[in-house]
Amino acid sequence: MLERNTANKAWPVMGKGLRTYWALPLAAAVTLTACGGADETPPADTAAADAAAMAEQGRQIFRYDSFGDEAHWTDTLRMHEVISAAVDPATALSVGLKVDVQALPASVVEGIKNGSIDLSKPATTIALLKLDAVLGLKGTVETVNGQDVLKRVGITCALCHSTVDNSFAPGIGKRLDGWANRDLNAGAIIALSPALSDAMKKVYRSWGPGKFDPRHNIDGLNKPVVIPPAYGLKGLHAITVTGDGQDLAYWNRYVAVAEMGGQGTVTEPRLQLSISNGSQDLVSAKLPALQAYQLTLAAPPAPAGSFDANAAARGKLVFEGPGQCASCHSSSLFSDANSTLHPAADSMAEPETPSYAARSASRQYRSSPLKGVWQHAPYFHDGSAASLLDVARRYNARRGLQLTEQQMAELAEYLKSL
């Protein structure tokens, strides 16, 4: 087994991943019967309330819990120094960071509108962190001699797996949990660390917006994949693009420890991998609630007017017929991933070097679920298809389907409607 204890070791990791909160045990309501017995089945309303409470705990974890990864982002990578010295809000927005407008007091909203709040000063970023307003960044801010100072910073699941609706300004709006942040330039952010060598910084800068390599710090190879959405996963067991685990907790643990630098342990015998960070476990107890919240996140419906309904109806026939799409993108999940994983050769992104499947535990790929696919371009795990029409054309050429250009266009309209 490859064993790493990273309590005191510099190891660039990044939060592609997702987190959890302290698990709340589901309350077992006990109803006394006339003869003094007990009914261990909780009333439906009690069970629903418990489930809602669990999901709410998970939402707090997803948005605000760092699993203690400040040890990595602050103590090792010294990102608090970078933010304090050089990351003003304008710079933060330029690398894809998002601001939750609902976390801002009315006076701050008005100050941004009238220009009295300077978005070109790092001090403003620190003020936003103090308000918990920057999605996915958790800052510890202390007042020293009358001035706010960023002492520690960590990351949360929301960094990669939430965005905003831009209702106030580009990059500033209401949270959209579960949406992949395809504007986030994670590599460029990591490369700001003064603790990294020039060679390491070059690797991270090569990733580009919306991509992240969750295997790079494990195998040393470099082939980023697109950040996936964290919605529409209820009922789906093969969670990742390679179907490595059977539930969200598997991937949440991997990301929390191996990528974010959270305090805990992850093992994966298929990869001969064992990683332990620190001396306490700040991950395991939070996984149930985190998963409960993520499973409440439904895929967003296609916006009205965003597709041609008549063409989509014809495209559905192509999807189910000559396009052969339904043979793998089946059932209400639009995926056969619960029963089947596919060899690397079936991927429209393969062959690639290095092969992403070959770096995974399963060494295969799942058929991606398609609900909400209109929202998260670019497509395929490497992001090599810019649009859904590009997807249709790629499948047509690789599978020799002999679809007409009109059929491919109609198929793309159907995919936009899902």
Side-chain angles (χ1 to χ4, degrees):
M1 294 285 283
L2 172 65
E3 296 186 1
R4 293 176 175 168
N5 187 305
T6 61
N8 299 301
K9 181 177 179 179
W11 189 6
V13 294
M14 185 63 187
K16 181 164 176 148
L18 310 169
R19 346 264 143 88
T20 54
Y21 200 62
W22 294 108
L24 293 180
L26 295 178
V30 178
T31 303
L32 295 180
T33 65
C35 60
D39 179 3
E40 295 184 357
T41 302
D45 55 349
T46 301
D50 289 341
M54 177 78 85
E56 176 57 29
Q57 295 284 3
R59 181 170 72 164
Q60 296 301 310
I61 295 167
F62 183 91
R63 292 181 174 185
Y64 306 116
D65 200 300
S66 66
F67 308 106
D69 64 23
E70 289 88 350
H72 178 74
W73 296 97
T74 301
D75 301 335
T76 300
L77 294 185
R78 298 161 50 194
M79 296 302 294
H80 64 305
E81 298 176 15
V82 175
I83 293 171
S84 299
V87 181
D88 56 72
T91 299
L93 292 171
S94 74
V95 292
L97 293 174
K98 307 294 182 181
V99 174
D100 178 7
V101 71
Q102 293 179 305
L104 304 179
S107 58
V108 174
V109 172
E110 183 58 31
I112 295 174
K113 286 181 178 178
N114 62 31
S116 61
I117 290 180
D118 193 345
L119 298 182
S120 65
K121 292 184 176 181
T124 305
T125 301
I126 294 174
L128 293 173
L129 287 170
K130 188 175 182 178
L131 292 168
D132 267 337
V134 183
L135 271 63
L137 289 187
K138 186 68 177 178
T140 300
V141 180
E142 297 178 4
T143 302
V144 179
N145 297 325
Q147 181 177 358
D148 283 343
V149 177
L150 181 62
K151 292 292 188 177
R152 299 184 69 74
V153 68
I155 65 172
T156 79
C157 303
L159 180 66
C160 292
H161 300 286
S162 289
T163 187
V164 296
D165 63 3
N166 300 322
S167 55
F168 180 81
I172 306 175
K174 298 176 182 177
R175 287 177 180 262
L176 296 171
D177 283 352
W179 292 43
N181 186 353
R182 295 287 171 86
D183 298 321
L184 184 70
N185 196 329
I189 294 171
I190 299 173
L192 293 173
S193 169
L196 301 180
S197 68
D198 289 342
M200 294 172 73
K201 290 181 179 182
K202 183 177 180 180
V203 170
Y204 294 121
R205 288 173 180 149
S206 73
W207 291 357
K211 292 185 178 182
F212 179 79
D213 190 336
R215 308 292 187 188
H216 172 69
N217 62 341
I218 305 301
D219 59 19
L221 301 178
N222 182 29
K223 186 66 167 66
V225 294
V226 291
I227 296 172
Y231 56 57
L233 299 178
K234 186 176 182 179
L236 190 70
H237 303 312
I239 297 302
T240 68
V241 66
T242 52
D244 287 8
Q246 289 298 301
D247 57 25
L248 274 165
Y250 168 92
W251 191 243
N252 288 343
R253 179 187 294 278
Y254 177 92
V255 170
V257 176
E259 304 309 311
M260 295 167 62
Q263 303 296 286
T265 297
V266 61
T267 60
E268 174 47 87
R270 291 172 295 177
L271 292 174
Q272 296 186 317
L273 176 68
S274 178
I275 299 172
S276 291
N277 295 332
S279 59
Q280 57 182 330
D281 185 353
L282 299 182
V283 175
S284 297
K286 302 172 185 178
L287 295 177
L290 177 59
Q291 178 165 303
Y293 175 59
Q294 289 171 282
L295 294 180
T296 70
L297 301 176
S306 64
F307 63 94
D308 183 325
N310 292 327
R314 295 190 295 272
K316 183 175 186 291
L317 299 177
V318 177
F319 183 92
E320 296 172 347
Q324 301 178 16
C325 311
S327 61
C328 296
H329 296 282
S330 55
S331 79
S332 60
L333 295 171
F334 287 90
S335 174
D336 61 359
N338 285 354
S339 60
T340 305
L341 293 179
H342 297 270
D346 285 358
S347 170
M348 294 296 105
E350 293 274 7
E352 62 178 350
T353 304
S355 165
Y356 188 67
R359 303 166 67 199
S360 73
S362 74
R363 308 183 77 82
Q364 299 179 91
Y365 292 111
R366 71 169 186 189
S367 297
S368 296
L370 299 180
K371 285 290 186 72
V373 71
W374 62 271
Q375 182 269 323
H376 52 83
Y379 303 104
F380 303 130
H381 66 264
D382 65 346
S384 59
S387 69
L388 290 169
L389 181 56
D390 290 337
V391 169
R393 287 170 173 162
R394 179 88 62 89
Y395 268 98
N396 184 56
R398 291 281 295 272
R399 295 290 177 85
L401 301 175
Q402 298 184 335
L403 300 179
T404 67
E405 189 64 25
Q406 180 177 339
Q407 285 176 311
M408 289 185 284
E410 291 170 346
L411 176 58
E413 291 303 301
Y414 175 61
L415 294 173
K416 293 179 188 178
S417 74
L418 297 178

